[in-house]
Amino acid sequence: MNQSPMIVIKHLKKSFKDIKAVDDISFTVERGQLFAFLGLNGAGKSTTINVICRALLPDSGEVYVDGLSIDRDMPAIYPKLGVVFQNSVLDANLTVYDNLYSRATLYGLTKARFADNLKFLADKLAFADLLKRPLGKLSGGQKRRIDIARALIHEPQLLILDEPTTGLDPQTRLLVWDLVTELRRNRQMTVLLTTHYMEEAAEADKVVIIDNGHLVANDTPNNLKNQYANDFIKLYAFDASLLKDLTKAQLTYTQDEKGVVTVVLKDMAAAKQFLLTYATKIRDFEAIKGRMDNVFLNVTGKQLQGGHW
């Protein structure tokens, strides 16, 4: 089994006149990973994706997909790629079936293989009843499911998802992620994801944060949370004297209108020590690991507007 990286990017640069959209970034995406690529709109995420797909030409740097250079080997790379762009690339006048069939023919799928893949995706993404309907008559969520099916119909090794679930209802989002998880497990499919949903980023194997074209963080979600995000203890029931203890110990805390106290702590080791120290005064609590939105804010100084499931 090939264990070489699926994507290797070395010193990539891309400018638009005076704007440095991507400014000397390097990273590697290992085979089979769910790799999250985070940044505000305009940070350089979509530019990087368009370079990988050869929709944009880089100013300098090297990009390899499955060991192949995008400069020399793009015809061999295209069959390995499935891309879900932010905006749909499907034909609104064609039926769902015709959209997917025309896509499959571009990759030389036999009718039998297309039929098998279509049935699998229609079952997993719940669109079997939409196959005869014109795409333009579908709702936004239904169109998004077809966009994802289009990217997967030829069984790509690398799936690029550019904010694929923005605006989707929770049920559809779960359908999408259940399918992606199954394909990663059964086919070792690699997934490069950009998202505004921090819950999705937190499930990634690796996270890169890009800000104003610069790569500013590159690590696992857990390591990033340990480095850049505080942990918390929520106190739901406790002795009243505990608040004086917190003030005396110069611990940072807040108390909401329901009386719940949130204590800010450096990490889970500090949280454990806190609970041991004040065990006799705490009756009900919850320990909360730092979140990816805290990481993003602390790394970039900016708030990434994301949704919640």
Side-chain angles (χ1 to χ4, degrees), residues 17-45:
K17 294 184 178 180
D18 295 331
I19 299 174
K20 294 181 178 180
V22 176
D23 192 8
D24 195 18
I25 68 170
S26 301
F27 63 84
T28 299
V29 180
E30 299 298 333
R31 193 173 300 272
Q33 275 190 336
L34 171 57
F35 189 96
F37 198 33
L38 304 183
L40 297 177
N41 289 336
K45 306 185 307 299

Side-chain angles (χ1 to χ4, degrees), residues 165-222:
T165 57
T166 298
L168 292 185
D169 60 273
Q171 182 179 6
T172 301
R173 194 178 296 128
L174 287 173
L175 279 177
V176 169
W177 280 110
D178 283 348
L179 173 59
V180 169
T181 299
E182 179 177 340
L183 293 176
R184 289 183 60 225
R185 181 177 63 247
N186 294 340
R187 301 181 188 174
Q188 206 185 9
M189 185 178 71
T190 307
V191 180
L192 174 61
L193 165 74
T194 77
T195 182
H196 284 172
Y197 290 90
M198 292 295 96
E199 298 93 335
E200 293 178 349
E203 295 301 315
D205 299 300
K206 202 77 167 290
V207 173
V208 154
I209 299 175
I210 188 171
D211 188 36
N212 291 327
H214 296 280
L215 193 152
V216 293
N218 182 1
D219 213 328
T220 65
N222 193 58

Side-chain angles (χ1 to χ4, degrees), residues 90 95-105 109-133 135 145-155 179 183 187:
L90 295 170
T95 65
V96 169
Y97 179 92
D98 287 341
N99 265 287
L100 296 178
Y101 182 71
S102 63
R103 174 71 174 182
T105 58
L109 268 67
T110 65
K111 287 187 176 181
R113 184 179 170 196
F114 168 69
D116 288 343
N117 290 357
L118 179 63
K119 183 180 187 307
F120 172 79
L121 293 170
D123 289 344
K124 294 295 182 180
L125 294 174
F127 64 82
D129 58 333
L130 304 177
L131 290 173
K132 296 182 180 180
R133 294 180 60 182
L135 191 87
R145 279 183 268 161
I146 309 308
D147 274 318
I148 293 166
R150 176 201 62 83
L152 291 170
I153 195 68
H154 61 293
E155 302 176 55
L179 173 59
L183 293 176
R187 301 181 188 174

